[in-house]
Amino acid sequence: MTTSILEPAAPSRSALERRFETWASLPRRGDPRIPFAFLLTLYAAMGVTWLGFNRSPAQIATIVVAGCALDMLFHYTLHHRLLFPLSAYITSLSLALLLNYAHGEIVLLLPVFLAIASKYVFTYKGGHVFNPSLFGVVVSLLVAGRLITTAPAYQWGGTWAMSAFMVMAALSLFVFKVGRGWLVGSFLTFYMAQTGLRAYIMRAHLPPEMLFLGTLSSPAFFLFTFFMMTDPKTSPSTRRGQIGIAAAVTLVDLVMHTRGSVFTFFYAAFAVACARFVWLHTSAMIAAGPGGYLRTTLLSRAKLQTVALVTAIGLIGGIGYARVRPAVTLSDTGFTLQEIPPAASGVDVVMDTNPYELVDPRLRHIGKWLLSVGASVSAGDADGDGDMDLFFTNPLARARDRSALYLNEGGFRFTRAALPALSALNHHPHANGLPTGSLFFDADSDGDRDLLVLVSFGETRFLENMLIETGRMSFVDRSDASGVARYTITLGANVLDYDGDGDLDLLIGEVMPARLPGYAHDVRLNLLRLPAPEYPGDRRMFRFMHDGWHDADNGGQNVLLENRGDGTFTEVDAAEVGMPETHWSLAIGTGDLNSDGKTDVYVANDFGPDDLYVNDGGTFHRKAERFFGEIGKDTYKGMNASLADVDRNGSLDVYVSNVHHALQAEGSLLWMNHGTDDHGDPILKDEAAALGVLNEDRFGWGAAVGDLNNDGWKDIVQANGMVDDRLDDLYEGCPDYWYVNHKLMQSGPEIHTYADQWGDLRGRCIFPNEKRRVYLNRGEGSSPLFVDVADAVGLTGGDNSRGVSLVDLDDDGRLDVVIANQHGAPTILRNRGPEDSSWLGLGLTGDGRTCAAGAEGSTVVVGTPGRPALMAEAQAGSGFSGQGDPRIHFGLGDGSPRFVNVSVRWCGGRTTDHRLRTGRYHDVVMDPSKGRSR
């Protein structure tokens, strides 16, 4: 983008100008910077209100004010004149649009500092050589790791209308006025030829039209071409020079493409600018002589003063950042995680030899993407012996392992239990779909745990546990009889008593729509068997991918099933109770976020904003703020939803995992609960970056929250990693698909919504086998602070992990970790540490009338003298593709007393108080005469 335009010379100054003769760079009539500043301002306003930019007005204001102030400071200190910062305004606003910072405002100052400082340090004959925006962008990308990246391709709109707007504005307001027509024209010609060459080379992996349309319909491309490259102070004025620069940038850009870079525009232009900078100074040095040139130019007093000033301000900023965001390391964690291998645990999941052949042959080029989820783990006492059992799903496993129940025999040894009711689902996916998740809960409040098995491309299965009826665990398929059977494409579900009648209702999240759009008749979306074309050129069967990267609304509508009280369910129109959204729902978290006694719902959505539904008592309203970074305007890639009190203030917070990589440096969210507003809605503010749980440089999936070291602070275990080539090894190494995906993300929904336009993923990787994280909460007072201790506790290996369960498998009071992996066997980790009694476990049993037998929605508060009270809520589901221990676990910290006071606010409103001994599990029964103690 243009950041410093050469002002036209004026033969004389007016009286008004003479009054401000101490000001430098005052804009005059005809100054091309003025319309360009207006255009950028308009585009920024459109971005935060309409286009879905990953930027809030406050962030933009921070960048602009800092850039203008810094430019004025540099100029006055070095030249003793006040500077009118119009160029700095353009530079700063450019950075706000070009870069992505979904992790707090402090880091925004780095590219601003680099851009403004480059104007004063890297000069030739008094003028800067590098376009300041370009310098700030590229150097930030190189030195800031992945904390700073370019703005996501999708945020530019991805439509021809937006591209036409940028082109026409550039031509009418700027390009013709600054004499850079040859630069623009030659670059467009060269680049189209280069794109044609790349399209031919990549034709086997990406439709050629995708590459052309994805590039030439991107406003980002035109912003670079018409504004950044054409800066009059940093580009040649001659025809020959302009054509040469265009050719050089195009050639270097091509080389960058061979390296799989996704930032080719910027790197190519920066490389050419570096070469030009060296050439200019080298030529001048040869002409003047090295010694004299160094003394008068590079080592002059003015240059040394400039470098000293820039260095001083940089050091002050760096020291300030280090104080605000101190690096936290920890070696003494108080526990370790010991991996239990499949041979010792008995839990093994064997992958199918070629599972991607399950999808329709027309979709096998992206079968790995379509089947990249579904590995899940759920914990619950299925056989009633008091030990927690495990249920797994994995659609990529061999037939018998696609779903499996493992009974806990003690000592971290498990025995597989036969489940004949799931045999047809496991072995006949084309007829019945694929198992992609599960949930233990007591649907009929009879005292045993029933099992919901989530299915994609088939009907959801509900298995009733006959333990209470027969005295022996067995699961009977009641899907049809219970009313649960629905054709779904789902990964997550949860239960809650949404209407307060004492029965657990079921909410199933839909990822994709169950029906294909565009058909006059009802056609189910089944990726394992697409419908045949009905006429030549019929592509309707491919129109099911998300229709936006930040605002997709073509997912399925979530299914709400109301419990009749006898274990059967009736579907309620979700829209009628306040849940009309059709987002790509991945996980559903439940909890009372505003402490009114009613269970609220947080739905984590991919490719769009999450949904927070506040319970009004049988109906909901969606809470959403106005700007990016606020609730309902989040980072658009919600994967996980875990609700827990991480700061010990008595209110539930929400942890949402996300992607943080090139093109999507967004990162996890930690919505901290700050009470309620005037309407009684929860006040949630994202503090993930400040508290250390951004999960940077990872492709995040499921997570679980619990106290791993029993110090009284909730910790977080985070699963990461997308896909590798273990199941389709085709190439030497594993080529990166993200480069191909970048071209897709630049296109509009009329292109990327159709699956046949996606690039070939077979044999390729997307951020594979990433290390998991163990975020230990080192809170002090009332402030949590997390540090990743995965290496210190022994979780050093990487995988493509999905669901996480925190569950005490050996009843020693320490939460063990079970992680479901998409392309391999689950990871089971035993929590090892010194034996102590600094913990308390509670198994709640409701009365089965006003409060369900599982007591979901009940709140427990534990008080210890001289310490903050600890709060937890009984929940069924606890994150993406994961369900943890149904018992409530509290870590109490060192020096905890032998007995603590416990208050239970039961679902239904009744409160009971108890005095319980620490260091053991207790069965707390709401009504001993009616309920059952486990």
Side-chain angles (χ1 to χ4, degrees):
M1 283 186 189
T2 305
T3 59
S4 180
I5 309 300
L6 187 63
E7 300 110 7
S12 63
R13 297 193 304 273
S14 66
L16 181 62
E17 288 176 320
R18 285 194 297 271
R19 291 179 60 187
F20 294 98
E21 61 183 2
T22 58
W23 285 82
S25 193
L26 278 169
R28 298 178 175 86
R29 180 177 298 179
D31 190 331
R33 294 178 303 172
I34 297 175
F36 185 45
F38 172 77
L39 176 66
L40 281 183
T41 304
L42 175 62
Y43 200 53
M46 293 168 58
V48 298
T49 58
W50 174 37
L51 296 177
F53 281 16
N54 285 27
R55 201 75 62 249
S56 70
Q59 289 176 323
I60 293 177
T62 299
I63 299 170
V64 170
V65 171
C68 292
L70 192 60
D71 203 11
M72 295 178 71
L73 173 63
F74 279 143
H75 196 275
Y76 185 80
T77 304
L78 297 172
H79 302 294
H80 309 293
R81 294 187 67 193
L82 294 173
L83 175 72
F84 190 85
L86 181 57
S87 292
Y89 176 86
I90 295 173
T91 293
S92 305
L93 200 50
S94 301
L95 293 172
L97 300 179
L98 288 169
L99 291 178
N100 193 27
Y101 332 80
H103 32 257
E105 281 72 18
I106 295 178
V107 76
L108 308 177
L109 303 182
L110 174 62
V112 172
F113 170 76
L114 293 171
I116 301 301
S118 71
K119 294 172 58 177
Y120 296 88
V121 175
F122 300 102
T123 60
Y124 177 74
K125 293 184 177 181
H128 56 273
V129 177
F130 292 91
N131 176 278
S133 293
L134 176 67
F135 191 92
V137 167
V138 173
V139 179
S140 296
L141 293 174
L142 294 175
V143 304
R146 297 186 188 271
L147 284 179
I148 296 177
T149 186
T150 58
Y154 55 76
Q155 85 162 24
W156 303 101
T159 64
W160 288 107
M162 286 305 306
S163 299
F165 167 73
M166 299 307 302
V167 172
M168 294 305 298
L171 293 177
S172 61
L173 299 177
F174 181 69
V175 173
F176 292 140
K177 293 184 178 182
V178 297
R180 294 302 184 271
W182 282 100
L183 178 59
V184 171
S186 56
F187 178 72
L188 287 176
T189 302
F190 295 151
Y191 205 84
M192 289 186 67
Q194 184 234 69
T195 304
L197 175 62
R198 288 191 289 117
Y200 176 78
I201 294 172
M202 298 179 63
R203 65 191 184 280
H205 305 290
L206 187 69
E209 62 271 25
M210 172 67 77
L211 192 59
F212 268 101
L213 295 175
T215 299
L216 300 180
S217 67
S218 169
F221 173 76
F222 292 108
L223 282 170
F224 172 84
T225 302
F226 286 97
F227 297 116
M228 180 175 281
M229 283 186 62
T230 54
D231 181 354
K233 279 196 173 182
T234 61
S235 61
S237 59
T238 65
R239 177 190 303 180
R240 180 178 179 181
Q242 292 179 34
I243 296 175
I245 289 292
V249 171
T250 303
L251 180 60
V252 176
D253 183 271
L254 179 61
V255 174
M256 295 289 180
H257 278 295
T258 65
R259 307 295 298 175
S261 171
V262 294
F263 305 131
T264 54
F265 292 158
F266 305 112
Y267 288 158
F270 185 75
V272 172
C274 286
R276 181 168 177 261
F277 177 78
V278 172
W279 170 258
L280 291 173
H281 280 285
T282 301
S283 300
M285 186 181 299
I286 294 174
Y293 190 78
L294 289 173
R295 286 192 303 273
T296 60
T297 305
L298 299 183
L299 298 179
S300 66
R301 182 178 179 180
K303 179 61 70 176
L304 293 177
Q305 287 178 337
T306 301
V307 173
L309 176 63
V310 169
T311 302
I313 293 178
L315 287 175
I316 293 172
I319 293 171
Y321 179 81
R323 291 179 64 87
V324 175
R325 296 282 177 82
V328 180
T329 57
L330 186 67
S331 57
D332 183 14
T333 62
F335 72 102
T336 59
L337 296 177
Q338 175 191 1
E339 184 168 352
I340 309 297
S345 69
V347 177
D348 197 7
V349 173
V350 179
M351 296 295 101
D352 199 351
T353 55
N354 198 345
Y356 304 125
E357 290 188 356
L358 286 172
V359 301
D360 188 282
R362 292 166 288 176
L363 297 176
R364 287 179 185 166
H365 63 295
I366 56 166
K368 188 189 294 189
W369 182 291
L370 300 174
L371 298 184
S372 63
V373 287
S376 73
V377 54
S378 294
D381 184 8
D383 56 2
D385 65 354
D387 296 323
M388 293 298 115
D389 309 307
L390 300 173
F391 185 84
F392 297 95
T393 68
N394 193 316
L396 301 184
R398 62 183 178 181
R400 68 183 302 265
D401 291 341
R402 287 182 182 135
S403 66
L405 173 62
Y406 286 90
L407 301 180
N408 190 342
E409 303 295 343
F412 287 86
R413 184 71 188 177
F414 296 82
T415 301
R416 183 162 178 170
L419 284 180
L422 295 179
S423 178
L425 176 63
N426 283 352
H427 288 83
H428 303 288
H430 286 88
N432 301 295
L434 291 166
T436 50
S438 61
L439 188 72
F440 282 112
F441 72 105
D442 190 349
D444 51 6
S445 288
D446 66 349
D448 54 23
R449 293 274 162 173
D450 306 306
L451 179 62
L452 179 78
V453 181
L454 302 177
V455 177
S456 292
F457 323 119
E459 292 188 345
T460 301
R461 313 314 297 165
F462 174 70
L463 307 184
E464 183 181 357
N465 193 341
M466 305 304 293
L467 176 64
I468 296 299
E469 288 80 0
T470 67
R472 183 177 65 86
M473 181 203 76
S474 62
F475 287 93
V476 178
D477 190 343
R478 303 287 193 206
S479 306
D480 293 319
S482 67
V484 169
R486 293 291 188 282
Y487 186 85
T488 53
I489 305 174
T490 181
L491 296 167
N494 215 329
V495 292
L496 70 157
D497 182 7
Y498 89 95
D499 52 3
D501 65 356
D503 301 313
L504 286 179
D505 309 303
L506 177 59
L507 182 61
I508 301 175
E510 290 269 37
V511 184
M512 296 176 172
R515 269 70 183 171
L516 276 165
Y519 286 86
H521 52 290
D522 185 33
V523 178
R524 288 179 172 178
L525 171 55
N526 186 346
L527 303 185
L528 310 186
R529 184 182 298 157
L530 290 179
E534 297 180 1
Y535 51 82
D538 185 7
R539 296 175 58 233
R540 291 173 297 171
M541 71 290 297
F542 299 117
R543 188 184 167 193
F544 56 80
M545 303 300 281
H546 45 278
D547 60 2
W549 295 88
H550 73 283
D551 59 354
D553 60 2
N554 66 331
Q557 185 172 30
N558 297 333
V559 178
L560 178 61
L561 300 175
E562 184 176 328
N563 195 330
R564 295 173 176 170
D566 56 0
T568 63
F569 298 83
T570 300
E571 183 169 358
V572 175
D573 189 338
E576 291 185 358
V577 297
M579 298 181 176
E581 283 70 28
T582 53
H583 292 146
W584 288 57
S585 302
L586 295 186
I588 299 174
T590 62
D592 185 1
L593 289 167
N594 56 355
S595 301
D596 66 351
K598 297 184 286 288
T599 303
D600 309 305
V601 176
Y602 189 100
V603 183
N605 300 313
D606 206 353
F607 309 117
D610 294 344
D611 298 313
L612 171 58
Y613 297 113
V614 180
N615 194 335
D616 296 320
T619 60
F620 298 86
H621 69 271
R622 183 177 185 268
K623 179 177 174 60
E625 304 290 349
R626 295 181 61 190
F627 298 115
F628 172 79
E630 299 173 333
I631 197 74
K633 293 286 186 179
D634 49 76
T635 51
Y636 312 131
K637 304 293 181 303
M639 305 292 192
N640 176 82
S642 297
L643 277 63
D645 181 11
V646 302
D647 58 355
R648 307 197 306 189
N649 70 346
S651 298
L652 293 175
D653 311 298
V654 186
Y655 177 73
V656 182
S657 57
N658 196 351
V659 177
H660 191 288
H661 272 294
L663 306 182
Q664 288 178 217
E666 297 167 352
S668 295
L669 302 165
L670 181 55
W671 297 110
M672 301 302 296
N673 196 326
H674 294 275
T676 57
D677 59 20
D678 294 338
H679 303 287
D681 289 342
I683 301 173
L684 301 177
K685 297 184 181 300
D686 174 34
E687 300 177 29
L691 299 182
V693 287
L694 188 65
N695 196 32
E696 64 273 14
D697 204 18
R698 295 289 191 275
F699 203 109
W701 290 100
V705 182
D707 191 349
L708 294 170
N709 59 347
N710 289 335
D711 66 349
W713 293 91
K714 300 290 187 182
D715 313 304
I716 300 173
V717 179
Q718 173 69 58
N720 296 306
M722 181 52 172
V723 294
D724 59 27
D725 63 348
R726 268 180 280 181
L727 305 179
D728 63 346
D729 188 3
L730 300 177
Y731 304 104
E732 182 78 20
C734 190
D736 183 17
Y737 182 76
W738 212 236
Y739 169 78
V740 175
N741 198 52
H742 173 240
K743 316 309 166 192
L744 185 79
M745 293 173 69
Q746 288 181 316
S747 66
E750 71 280 0
I751 298 172
H752 66 67
T753 304
Y754 289 85
D756 59 339
Q757 290 294 306
W758 283 54
D760 195 342
L761 180 53
R762 286 171 289 193
R764 295 177 174 267
C765 286
I766 303 175
F767 304 116
N769 303 311
E770 293 182 325
K771 292 178 64 175
R772 285 70 65 95
R773 293 193 189 273
V774 179
Y775 283 118
L776 197 65
N777 190 342
R778 304 299 293 169
E780 297 180 0
S782 61
S783 178
L785 179 64
F786 294 88
V787 55
D788 182 14
V789 297
D791 288 339
V793 300
L795 186 56
T796 57
D799 214 316
N800 304 311
S801 302
R802 298 297 181 261
V804 181
S805 174
L806 296 185
V807 50
D808 189 355
L809 293 171
D810 55 354
D811 292 335
D812 66 349
R814 290 187 174 272
L815 293 175
D816 307 300
V817 182
V818 183
I819 303 175
N821 301 310
Q822 188 70 16
H823 303 107
T827 302
I828 299 179
L829 301 154
R830 181 181 183 183
N831 189 335
R832 302 295 298 269
E835 294 185 8
D836 58 42
S837 60
S838 60
W839 62 276
L840 179 73
L842 301 173
L844 302 183
T845 301
D847 62 6
R849 294 178 289 105
T850 62
C851 182
E856 287 85 357
S858 300
T859 300
V860 179
V861 177
V862 175
T864 55
R867 302 184 184 187
L870 303 177
M871 185 274 290
E873 183 172 316
Q875 303 165 345
S878 52
F880 172 78
S881 293
Q883 180 183 19
D885 200 318
R887 300 170 296 185
I888 296 178
H889 171 270
F890 290 99
L892 303 176
D894 294 336
S896 59
R898 293 180 62 189
F899 290 88
V900 292
N901 296 320
V902 178
S903 178
V904 182
R905 189 186 74 179
W906 297 91
C907 44
R910 179 183 173 189
T911 298
T912 61
D913 296 317
H914 312 266
R915 185 167 175 80
L916 301 176
R917 185 165 184 168
T918 61
R920 62 183 59 182
Y921 283 99
H922 299 268
D923 290 318
V924 179
V925 181
M926 179 180 179
D927 186 349
S929 65
K930 298 295 183 181
R932 291 182 174 88
S933 176
R934 288 179 289 110

